[in-house]
Amino acid sequence: MTATTTEKPVNNGVNVDALLGAREALTKAPEAAQFKWRASVNWVNGTHSRTDVNGFFGLGAEQKHKSTFTFEADHPEIFASEDKGATPVELVLAGLASCLTAGVASVAQLRGIQLRSVTATLEAGMDIRGILGADSDVRNGFDGVKVTYKIDADASPDDIKALVAQSQKRSAVFDIITNPTNVTVEVK
Amino acid sequence: MRTTTVVIGAGQSGLAASWWLTQRSIDHVVLERGEVANTWKRERWDSLRLLTPNWQSRLPGYGYEGDDPDGFRTMPETIAFIEGYAKAIAAPVQTGTKVTAVRRNDDGYEVETDRGIWHADSVILATGAFNLPQIPAVARSVPAGIATLGANEYRNPDQLAPGGVLVVGASATGAQLADEIHRSGRPVTLAVGEHVRVPRVYRGRDIQWWMDAVGLLDEPFDTIDDIVRARNVASLQLAGYPDRRNIDLNSLTTIGVKLVGRLAGVNAEGKAQFSGSLRNVCALADLKMHRLLDAIDTWVTERGRDAEFAPPQRYEPTAIEASPPLLLDLTRGTVKTILWATGFRPDYSWLQVPVLDPKGNIRHDGGVVTESPGLYVMGLPFLRRRKSSLIDGVGDDARDLTAHLADHLGARAVQPRNVEQAAAGA
């Protein structure tokens, strides 16, 4: 009734054994499960900024990505900006999209479902009177996010829906967006 | 005082254990803090009925003999049933005996009570899984002026101030209380996290009949992929209404209950914050229900029994409004009460044997506390089988665990010829 298991090997490029091993190991050693994710930003000019990610902490030690990844952020010209990068809110959508999609692949691998293609489009509504300070009753952030997946896989429509549902259940970014988080911003 | 086995708790688990110990000629006593079936008597609400039908209360050597096998017992009927069992099997119950400590010593266990100390070779903990309400940390941020109570303190709507009620949790308890309280004229907002949706009756039979028939209730714990998760699954969203009607989020929305996401926090302005995950938790529950119904339909078809039952049916997806509210101002006076239907947890504050995990649960292997030979636990969710926490499930668990216990004692436990048959009787 739960996982679909198939005879033929399924390969979505996810090492499920490693993930399950990590889950078991970290259940026994919860202190190693404590991670710190980091990013550092430099203002460039106007609304343009550049954010680097590389180092993070996890498994009890400092860790590094293979290289530094850089994200340019700016605003489009209709905001009187120079459009040197995605808007920060689009980066949030990219974060949600990639988190859910990684989850779809992992859950599919675990359930023995071969994926052929996975695409999704995301759309988030926003009333920009909030960020412009034009109406204090309007919130700054999204008034909702709509994600629409198209998935071609060796599974029934309900099993595919269950993949996407399980991916949301285990997604960090989905949790970050749907639940409040304390944010502390200091100036040194 | 000395005996071979001390059983702590005289609910269905402790009594079933007692029946089996007697069959195996193992000298024992059942210690009960209050009266037989104490939790059922004192810590549940007035209108509660069992969530399992009458026929499904098969205790070893005892069962339902009335004329309403598909009905659901009220609490007084449940209590009478368990008391009747205690009498029928002449269980050596010592009521009004509160256990204050259980310790291990050189020759077994010392069970300290407010009426003296018992020494025993083995102990069966049958105090249940539902002793204390599990109140989330967010409770500490609820503004003053709002009454809060746990589901174990709730009796009936008249106990609540007139005005709005936020019910937190939408499993069996939360859904039933939301229904009853909203119908009393107190508008209910229901905070919904992960839940398990099932119809009460499917293809003309009770869902419990199906789960029993297809073998789900007998699934053993050591064949389950992720037993930790299985043990933490929420209770089935069911009620034991005499008319056998369904209770689900759609039925609650129909009477006017407002659905919101899981209660995620209360912010500095006294606003309750709800998760934006409501749509997904409902999708998960709808999909899971349909997988269960698919499995039932497959079981029927594979046996060529389709003609015996009503045709298969599928249910409307849970209806969620376009933008469920994410905030509820608790300072405006519309919400007068918050009711925590967020589950229960066992109370082992008296257990001085180091067998608890960091979350306060007993480490056990199907009820055998391997780290402390001679110690057993019963009545926990999915202890040995999916039905372990049902009245119907304690008999099989008691048989298995007392067999292990008899081996442990190394006693020549007398096995009367008809023991296994007698268990199936009544």
Side-chain angles (χ1 to χ4, degrees), chain A residues 46-48 72-90 128 131:
Chain A
T47 55
H48 179 202
E72 305 282 342
D74 200 354
H75 286 78
E77 291 181 342
I78 58 163
F79 285 74
S81 292
E82 293 183 14
D83 209 9
K84 297 266 175 69
T87 61
V89 296
E90 289 163 333
I128 69 160
I131 56 173

Side-chain angles (χ1 to χ4, degrees), chain B residues 228-245:
Chain B
V228 176
R229 191 166 80 177
R231 283 175 174 157
N232 283 311
V233 167
S235 59
L236 304 182
Q237 205 178 52
L238 281 175
Y241 297 127
D243 61 3
R244 305 170 84 193
R245 71 186 151 92

Side-chain angles (χ1 to χ4, degrees), chain B residues 370-410:
Chain B
T370 43
E371 292 167 45
S372 186
L375 189 62
Y376 299 86
V377 60
M378 284 190 61
L380 304 182
F382 227 133
L383 183 90
R384 297 188 64 78
R385 307 172 164 79
R386 197 183 299 276
K387 66 181 178 183
S388 284
S389 56
L390 304 183
I391 291 178
D392 205 47
V394 297
D396 285 350
D397 286 4
R399 181 194 61 223
D400 296 351
L401 291 174
T402 53
H404 189 286
L405 188 152
D407 284 347
H408 166 74
L409 294 175

Side-chain angles (χ1 to χ4, degrees), chain A residues 117-135:
Chain A
S117 76
V118 179
T119 57
T121 53
L122 289 84
E123 186 173 84
M126 184 192 279
D127 182 340
I128 69 160
R129 286 177 300 171
I131 56 173
L132 292 173
D135 185 337

Side-chain angles (χ1 to χ4, degrees), chain A residues 1-3 23 111 139 143 158-159 161-162 164-166 168-170 174-175 178-180, chain B residues 194 216 226 229 262 264-265 273-277 280 283-284 287 290-292 295 323 326:
Chain A
M1 277 220 343
T2 51
R23 187 172 80 169
R111 296 186 178 179
R139 73 179 280 187
D143 52 35
D158 268 5
D159 285 346
K161 282 183 189 161
V164 175
Q166 184 66 18
Q168 291 168 74
K169 181 176 157 178
R170 286 278 162 261
F174 182 86
D175 174 78
T178 55
N179 293 304
Chain B
E194 277 189 60
L216 273 173
D226 187 345
R229 191 166 80 177
R262 189 180 65 85
Q273 301 169 300
F274 303 109
S275 175
S277 63
N280 191 49
L284 282 163
L287 287 161
H290 284 137
R291 286 198 296 276
L292 172 65
S323 294
L326 298 168

Side-chain angles (χ1 to χ4, degrees), chain A residues 15-146:
Chain A
N15 186 343
V16 166
D17 291 341
L19 292 177
L20 292 178
R23 187 172 80 169
E24 199 185 330
L26 295 179
T27 305
K28 288 174 189 150
E31 60 290 346
Q34 305 307 313
F35 273 62
K36 297 279 185 200
W37 297 105
R38 303 191 185 114
S40 57
V41 65
N42 256 298
W43 171 63
V44 180
N45 183 44
T47 55
H48 179 202
S49 67
R50 189 172 289 134
T51 300
D52 288 338
V53 300
N54 189 341
F56 60 95
F57 180 88
L59 304 179
E62 286 297 327
Q63 311 279 352
K64 265 188 179 315
H65 281 287
K66 275 182 171 172
S67 62
T68 298
F69 297 105
T70 300
F71 300 88
E72 305 282 342
D74 200 354
H75 286 78
E77 291 181 342
I78 58 163
F79 285 74
S81 292
E82 293 183 14
D83 209 9
K84 297 266 175 69
T87 61
V89 296
E90 289 163 333
L91 292 175
V92 171
L93 291 182
L96 178 63
S98 51
C99 193
L100 290 177
T101 304
V104 166
S106 305
V107 178
Q109 182 76 46
L110 186 65
R111 296 186 178 179
I113 297 173
Q114 181 63 53
L115 299 173
R116 282 186 290 273
S117 76
V118 179
T119 57
T121 53
L122 289 84
E123 186 173 84
M126 184 192 279
D127 182 340
I128 69 160
R129 286 177 300 171
I131 56 173
L132 292 173
D135 185 337
S136 60
D137 290 336
V138 175
R139 73 179 280 187
N140 299 341
F142 299 145
D143 52 35
V145 180
K146 179 88 192 278

